[in-house]
Amino acid sequence: MDLKKAIYFMLLSTLAFTAMNGLLKFLTSYSAYQMVFFRSLGSLFFTFGFLLSRGIPVLGTHRKLLVLRGLVGSTSMVLFFMALHYIPLGSAVGLRYIAPIFAAIFAILLLREVVKPIQWLFFVISFLGVLVLKGMDRSIPLIGMVLVLVSSVFSGLVYIIIRRIGSREHPVVIVNYFMCIAAIIGGAGAIFDWKTPVGIDWLLLLSLGIFGYFGQLFMTKAFQMGETNLIAPLKYLEVFFAVIVGVVFLGEEYFVWSFVGMGMIIAGLLLNLWYKQRLLKK
């Protein structure tokens, strides 16, 4: 386990996903399924090219886990893209990254990892932040809230599946499975609500895959190198970047309670990160 490299890769992943999410919010005139399709298509250009050029078996060896990761990840992606049609970017990202709480629950049940009582207190702080964000921010409708929270449940399960796969599969093989399955699901769903892109929208839609590829690759590397409960909280930094993108580039407005809620979410997870680092030093 290499903690420093895991943190480095997660930070790079966060920046890449912020760029992708900003584009997603800008392109909400397209359906969630169509955005999933283009996001996956753009990434597959890199994944297949990398695997074929390096002579790495595309199908991998742990195919059931790889397919499961693809299905769970695709479900989370579709739900999150749907949520972006209803709520501000920063709020959506903040709510989705409540996922580490679900990841911790899954880690206990499936990986037999130990979560200390005080860590649950930190998770409660984050969850209370969700309640504050929803209760005080009128720009978040119930349907958007439900979509993004269910997306976070599936996202939490993704962390566990990747951790279960571990270093037994090349990170690009894992990402390639995810993108193949997401492209099929997104393409099938987009058939019923297709809008032909025009002009620069082609470039922007395909750019989703570029940023998404590097974000996914770096995240996969991070989870392969570090423990789930330690690495997952770092994704909360994306909330800050998303708010900046939302305000500066998308013209979004946020209220005081929005920042209080997002701050509580982030604080709970950062306290958990601090506590885990303290345990490692003992």
Side-chain angles (χ1 to χ4, degrees):
M1 185 179 296
D2 192 328
L3 180 59
K4 289 185 178 180
K5 284 188 176 180
I7 292 175
Y8 171 74
F9 281 124
M10 184 56 80
L11 290 176
L12 288 178
S13 171
T14 297
L15 291 173
F17 278 129
T18 297
M20 184 191 74
N21 289 333
L23 286 176
L24 285 169
K25 187 64 178 178
F26 180 75
L27 295 166
T28 48
S29 60
Y30 296 91
S31 72
Y33 284 104
Q34 193 167 349
M35 290 193 291
V36 167
F37 175 72
F38 277 102
R39 182 259 190 268
S40 306
L41 194 65
S43 293
L44 285 173
F45 173 81
F46 292 97
T47 57
F48 270 114
F50 180 90
L51 295 175
L52 294 176
S53 65
R54 300 295 179 87
I56 300 173
V58 174
L59 295 179
T61 54
H62 301 79
R63 296 170 189 173
K64 290 183 179 180
L65 282 176
L66 289 168
V67 170
L68 180 62
R69 186 267 180 270
L71 290 172
V72 173
S74 297
T75 302
S76 178
M77 186 193 300
V78 170
L79 292 171
F80 180 66
F81 286 12
M82 287 180 176
L84 286 175
H85 286 77
Y86 298 97
I87 58 182
L89 178 61
S91 299
V93 173
L95 287 168
R96 187 189 188 191
Y97 290 115
I98 201 76
I101 295 180
F102 301 112
I105 295 173
F106 289 131
I108 293 173
L109 298 175
L110 302 176
L111 301 182
R112 299 186 182 279
E113 292 184 6
V114 177
V115 177
K116 302 291 185 179
I118 193 171
Q119 289 178 267
W120 288 114
L121 174 61
F122 299 150
F123 288 146
V124 167
I125 293 174
S126 294
F127 184 73
L128 289 176
V130 173
L131 298 181
V132 169
L133 194 59
K134 175 62 182 80
M136 301 295 182
D137 190 343
R138 296 181 180 180
S139 65
I140 302 179
L142 181 59
I143 185 173
M145 179 80 165
V146 171
L147 285 170
V148 76
L149 286 181
V150 176
S151 171
S152 71
V153 173
F154 283 95
S155 182
L157 186 55
V158 166
Y159 300 154
I160 302 305
I161 297 172
I162 292 176
R163 186 79 177 126
R164 192 66 175 266
I165 295 172
S167 59
R168 296 178 294 174
E169 296 285 358
H170 193 284
V172 181
V173 173
I174 300 174
V175 174
N176 192 60
Y177 261 84
F178 175 27
M179 292 297 97
C180 283
I181 293 173
I184 294 172
I185 293 175
I191 292 175
F192 304 100
D193 190 20
W194 179 265
K195 175 184 176 183
T196 302
V198 293
I200 197 174
D201 282 6
W202 281 105
L203 177 61
L204 296 178
L205 285 165
L206 290 173
S207 295
L208 295 174
I210 298 175
F211 289 116
Y213 167 75
F214 287 105
Q216 196 65 49
L217 175 62
F218 293 143
M219 185 185 78
T220 300
K221 282 179 172 290
F223 278 111
Q224 287 182 323
M225 293 179 178
E227 186 178 341
T228 302
N229 293 323
L230 182 60
I231 299 303
L234 290 175
K235 288 192 68 65
Y236 277 81
L237 293 176
E238 188 177 337
V239 178
F240 289 116
F241 302 141
V243 169
I244 293 173
V245 169
V247 172
V248 176
F249 297 102
L250 301 174
E252 294 180 343
E253 295 183 358
Y254 294 88
F255 305 97
V256 173
W257 285 110
S258 302
F259 293 109
V260 171
M262 287 186 279
M264 291 175 66
I265 292 173
I266 295 169
L269 272 295
L270 289 181
L271 284 170
N272 179 63
L273 175 60
W274 166 79
Y275 181 75
K276 292 290 292 185
Q277 288 177 324
R278 185 179 179 184
L279 289 179
L280 290 175
K281 293 179 180 179
K282 290 184 179 180

